[in-house]
Amino acid sequence: VGGSPSVLLVEAFYGGSHKQLIDLLKENTDGCSLFTLPAKKWHWRARTAALYFSQTIPACSSYRVLFSSSVLNLCELVALRPDLARLKKVLYFHENQLVYPVRKDQERDFQYGYNQVLSCLVSDVVVFNSRFNMESFLSSILSFMKKIPDHRPKNLDRLIRPKCVVLSYPVQFPDVSSLLPELKLRHLCRSAETLQSNHRIFKAQTSQLQTSRCEEDPVQSSSEPRSVLIPVQHSESVDQVNPLHIVWPHRWEHDKNPEMFFNTLIKLKEKQLDFKLSVLGETFTDVPEIFSSSQHLLQSHILNWGFLSSKDQYLKVLCDADVVVSTSKHEFFGVAMLEAVHCGCFPLCPKALVYPEIFPDQYLYSTPEQLCKRLQELCRRPDIARRHIVMVDTSLYSWTSLKPQFQALLSVEGP
């Protein structure tokens, strides 16, 4: 159809990671039409965006593929617009509402999760940014539907599962070589060489098993090369002299479990261990009280406190830090942790949620006590964190690596 658009991109919540993904797809795909709503009032977008888009998306005979995030009630849109129902419909889950944490289960609005289940039923391909996101969604459908008092639908997970694929969120990792301290830069260069050579060996061993299907999980295929540990020998005294620099780069909200993080650091302080602290991340109207009380208690350790609006400033702090910690109660992918690893930080994450898919065992803790113990060791021996090569190949989560799979999704022939 000449220059007519063939791909319809629809984003009901055009901000943050949703915006970044949609923009990437538009920039890298020929023949796209983009329709969006601003990233405000999430609940209203989930409830009403379909009706708005049904009136604003013009009829177009050349459309072949519709791509949307799961904020949109796709079921309503294609019911209101039968001309869109014939397209290949791709639904992308950044998160899922069946297990998204709420303070009390009674507060969980049934409609949002229900809309996502309906959207899956009318989709042709359902894409999740991690295996954890997919499995937590599919395994929760049965118990979620039990909230319906009677005449419940059956076997919905069996209808949806065959359509599901895992495709990591594509992170655009910036070049941070100019921001890295010299020692870290050397370590990271060596780390990249190590990971690449291990990956080449592993790829050669498994090439017969590879498929070009989108279902192949990039996280799983990379587990082997990351398990090799390469000690790096250096004699720089700075490795041991400067206090350990701990960074926490998450949203200031309860689901990121700041209480556990700050309680751990206060224990380190009580043990008279030396460390420096940077607490970054966005703040919203309802900031948990623990932040102000901890800022007071940990004042002598703080290097940075609060959101850094400049991406370069943010990356500079990550490049200067030694250890990045997550204490999240929920995480479906975790861009902030991968960005910190890209900047040379030693990661410590819960042995739960998405983390075991991305991080080998040595970076995972199961209890608050384990986290505290690991940080104590690193406070006493910061050189361990500084000399360590993190065995996570962040390039696997880059747009460069994932682009072919996203392009297959947006083609009529692709999975």
Side-chain angles (χ1 to χ4, degrees):
V1 195
S4 302
S6 61
V7 177
L8 177 60
L9 302 174
V10 183
E11 181 49 72
F13 197 76
Y14 188 56
S17 57
H18 291 231
K19 180 181 188 301
Q20 286 170 32
L21 177 58
I22 285 286
D23 287 350
L24 262 178
L25 297 180
K26 188 170 191 319
E27 286 160 22
N28 290 276
T29 311
D30 295 329
C32 282
S33 281
L34 174 60
F35 292 88
T36 66
L37 279 167
K40 295 175 185 169
K41 304 188 186 302
W42 178 91
H43 299 92
W44 284 106
R45 298 289 185 253
R47 287 189 185 108
T48 65
L51 179 56
Y52 170 80
F53 285 129
S54 75
Q55 296 187 329
T56 52
I57 296 171
C60 177
S61 60
S62 64
Y63 288 144
R64 296 288 177 266
V65 179
L66 188 164
F67 180 98
S68 162
S69 77
S70 63
V71 175
L72 176 72
N73 187 337
L74 190 58
C75 193
E76 285 181 352
L77 179 61
V78 298
L80 292 163
R81 287 288 301 274
D83 58 314
L84 301 179
R86 63 179 176 78
L87 307 183
K88 174 188 172 182
K89 296 170 292 299
V90 181
L91 189 70
Y92 192 87
F93 275 76
H94 294 265
E95 42 68 31
N96 79 72
Q97 289 300 311
L98 300 196
V99 295
Y100 203 90
V102 287
R103 293 299 193 82
K104 301 190 184 81
D105 200 53
Q106 300 92 294
E107 290 175 13
R108 191 184 299 282
D109 190 316
F110 182 81
Q111 196 65 40
Y112 303 128
Y114 185 68
N115 288 357
Q116 288 189 327
V117 171
L118 289 180
S119 293
C120 288
L121 290 168
V122 300
S123 296
D124 298 297
V125 190
V126 183
V127 189
F128 292 87
N129 58 358
S130 66
R131 193 162 293 282
F132 165 70
N133 195 357
M134 178 177 80
E135 293 299 344
S136 64
F137 180 78
L138 292 171
S139 63
S140 300
I141 292 174
L142 182 63
S143 59
F144 183 77
M145 291 296 167
K146 283 183 177 167
K147 292 175 179 169
I148 302 172
D150 54 11
H151 300 287
R152 298 176 188 125
K154 292 186 175 65
N155 300 326
L156 298 179
D157 55 324
R158 288 190 212 165
L159 294 171
I160 294 167
R161 186 178 281 278
K163 307 176 182 190
C164 293
V165 297
V166 174
L167 185 49
S168 298
Y169 177 83
V171 185
Q172 288 183 286
F173 293 109
D175 179 4
V176 293
S177 50
S178 63
L179 301 173
L180 286 164
E182 188 189 340
L183 187 65
K184 233 188 199 188
L185 186 59
R186 283 212 299 273
H187 286 183
L188 282 177
C189 287
R190 196 170 299 199
S191 162
E193 288 163 17
T194 303
L195 287 162
Q196 281 165 12
S197 63
N198 286 333
H199 193 54
R200 276 197 297 274
I201 294 162
F202 181 61
K203 231 175 168 181
Q205 290 169 345
T206 57
S207 58
Q208 293 80 13
L209 306 172
Q210 299 293 330
T211 71
S212 59
R213 288 300 302 272
C214 212
E215 287 94 322
E216 184 184 286
D217 184 356
V219 173
Q220 297 299 322
S221 67
S222 68
S223 59
E224 182 73 17
R226 291 173 308 164
S227 63
V228 184
L229 279 185
I230 308 295
V232 178
Q233 299 303 322
H234 278 297
S235 57
E236 287 89 341
S237 58
V238 70
D239 267 2
Q240 185 58 34
V241 174
N242 293 337
L244 187 77
H245 181 180
I246 301 166
V247 65
W248 194 82
H250 310 285
R251 279 184 288 106
W252 291 24
E253 292 190 296
H254 286 288
D255 61 311
K256 297 300 181 185
N257 203 356
E259 291 80 6
M260 177 178 160
F261 177 69
F262 288 121
N263 290 340
T264 304
L265 292 198
I266 288 160
K267 282 178 188 159
L268 299 181
K269 183 184 169 75
E270 286 166 357
K271 292 177 188 290
Q272 298 185 316
L273 290 162
D274 201 4
F275 60 89
K276 293 297 176 192
L277 173 63
S278 291
V279 177
L280 313 177
E282 282 193 81
T283 53
F284 298 90
T285 43
D286 182 24
V287 173
E289 195 279 325
I290 188 82
F291 283 91
S292 54
S293 58
S294 303
Q295 184 181 14
H296 177 69
L297 284 168
L298 297 166
Q299 192 62 55
S300 60
H301 297 272
I302 292 169
L303 288 178
N304 300 278
W305 189 267
F307 180 66
L308 295 170
S309 53
S310 153
K311 186 75 175 179
D312 272 356
Q313 282 181 294
Y314 173 75
L315 292 168
K316 180 71 180 126
V317 174
L318 294 184
C319 287
D320 288 338
D322 300 308
V323 177
V324 60
V325 177
S326 168
T327 45
S328 282
K329 293 178 192 173
H330 104 276
E331 191 59 77
F332 295 108
F333 186 66
V335 172
M337 291 300 288
L338 280 169
E339 281 183 336
V341 168
H342 175 71
C343 294
C345 292
F346 185 104
L348 288 172
C349 337
K351 191 173 186 172
L353 312 169
V354 71
Y355 296 118
E357 275 178 59
I358 296 173
F359 297 95
D361 254 7
Q362 74 205 87
Y363 307 117
L364 306 176
Y365 63 85
S366 299
T367 62
E369 292 73 27
Q370 281 182 11
L371 173 62
C372 193
K373 192 178 172 194
R374 296 294 300 279
L375 286 172
Q376 278 180 63
E377 291 165 1
L378 294 172
C379 284
R380 294 192 177 106
R381 288 284 309 281
D383 58 310
I384 292 172
R386 289 173 187 150
R387 296 178 184 190
H388 178 77
I389 288 175
V390 178
M391 300 314 291
V392 175
D393 186 354
T394 56
S395 72
L396 295 167
Y397 307 97
S398 68
W399 173 247
T400 311
S401 294
L402 298 166
K403 182 179 177 179
Q405 294 172 72
F406 276 99
Q407 287 178 327
L409 278 179
L410 297 183
S411 72
V412 180
E413 299 77 30

